Amino acid sequence: ITLPDSVESIGAGIFQNCTSLTAVAIPEKLTVIPDQCFYACANLKSAILPKTLKNIGDQAFYRCTSLSSAAFPESLEIIGSEAFYNCHSLRSVIIPANVTVIGTNALKNCTNLASVAVSEGNPSYCDINGVLFYKDATKLLCYPQGRYGDFEIPDTITSIDYEAFHYCTHLTGITIPDSVTVIAENAFTNCGSLTSVAIPGSVAVIGYSAFSGCNNLASLTIGDGVKSIADNAFSNCNSLASLNIPDS
């Protein structure tokens, strides 16, 4: 579909569940793609975004499972919550310099996403080797689910964010530095290839369901600085055979 150049605004959910839609070109006068605009357009492979675009709404491209690329214009400022959730064909993303808001789970469950790059000069975010961090690199925001192998978290990180490694099923090993103090809710949920985890003594809080569903996790060491372990933190870790809980 090609929208005419005269279009300046469109309503929320306008193309929701249009499963035969394969391509769309959005006119230059549009500055906002509203919430759920292309929700569940499962066969949408190509979306040409205008150079004037400022805001991609919540769930705008949710479950567009065939969408293989998203070229964000430099004008973009906001990527809404779950904007590209379940976009399984998406392989890489470049966040422009003007983006100051990336909503919750904006790039989650993109099972083939291997890299998230951030343009230089962005005031809010940065990437380190294709992994998304907040600008000061103290909080890890999103580890791409399509990456394989082990990962060593940089020693600038103090907090592992909500669902940062959620469903990263190809993550085989994780090194958590002693700069980390908080492992947030669902941080490593369903990381099915993790076999061992050592949580350093610097960590004071392990959030709700932080490692839930890590069904190959066989060995777990919890450092002696932990004060709080939330509900279901290690639930459904069916292979867990070795556990060290400190006196703290």
Side-chain angles (χ1 to χ4, degrees):
I1 185 170
T2 300
L3 297 174
D5 292 339
S6 58
V7 174
E8 297 181 0
S9 67
I10 52 178
I14 186 172
F15 297 110
Q16 189 175 66
N17 289 311
C18 291
T19 54
S20 294
L21 187 64
T22 59
V24 63
I26 298 170
E28 292 295 328
K29 289 184 179 180
L30 271 180
T31 60
V32 177
I33 297 176
D35 297 351
Q36 299 184 337
C37 186
F38 298 99
Y39 186 104
C41 292
N43 289 302
L44 181 65
K45 296 179 180 179
S46 170
I48 300 173
L49 307 180
K51 295 177 182 177
T52 52
L53 187 66
K54 293 184 180 297
N55 186 341
I56 298 174
D58 296 347
Q59 297 185 332
F61 292 92
Y62 187 104
R63 210 189 304 154
C64 291
T65 53
S66 298
L67 189 67
S68 59
S69 65
F72 299 142
E74 287 301 318
S75 58
L76 189 63
E77 298 174 357
I78 297 170
I79 301 172
S81 295
E82 298 185 340
F84 293 89
Y85 195 96
N86 275 344
C87 290
H88 298 307
S89 298
L90 202 60
R91 296 186 179 276
S92 64
V93 164
I94 299 174
I95 306 295
N98 289 317
V99 171
T100 56
V101 175
I102 299 175
T104 303
N105 289 338
L107 298 167
K108 275 295 168 187
N109 216 31
C110 298
T111 52
N112 286 300
L113 185 65
S115 174
V116 179
V118 180
S119 296
E120 288 186 20
N122 187 295
S124 302
Y125 304 98
C126 70
D127 79 277
I128 299 175
N129 296 325
V131 179
L132 184 61
F133 298 84
Y134 287 102
K135 184 64 174 182
D136 59 2
T138 60
K139 185 182 285 189
L140 194 156
L141 177 61
C142 177
Y143 183 86
Q145 286 175 256
R147 292 174 70 104
Y148 285 74
D150 299 349
F151 183 67
E152 183 174 342
I153 296 174
D155 60 10
T156 57
I157 299 300
T158 60
S159 177
I160 300 171
D161 208 21
Y162 170 75
E163 293 193 355
F165 292 88
H166 178 71
Y167 264 107
C168 289
T169 56
H170 307 301
L171 180 69
T172 53
I174 188 73
T175 301
I176 303 173
D178 59 12
S179 57
V180 173
T181 60
V182 175
I183 298 174
E185 179 180 342
N186 294 331
F188 292 92
T189 304
N190 294 314
C191 289
S193 296
L194 279 180
T195 57
S196 67
V197 170
I199 297 172
S202 59
V203 173
V205 176
I206 300 174
Y208 176 83
S209 289
F211 292 89
S212 178
C214 294
N215 55 4
N216 282 305
L217 185 63
S219 174
L220 172 65
T221 301
I222 301 175
D224 58 10
V226 172
K227 303 297 182 186
S228 173
I229 302 175
D231 294 350
N232 296 329
F234 301 99
S235 63
N236 297 311
C237 292
N238 303 325
S239 299
L240 192 59
S242 174
L243 174 62
N244 234 338
I245 300 178
D247 293 338
S248 62

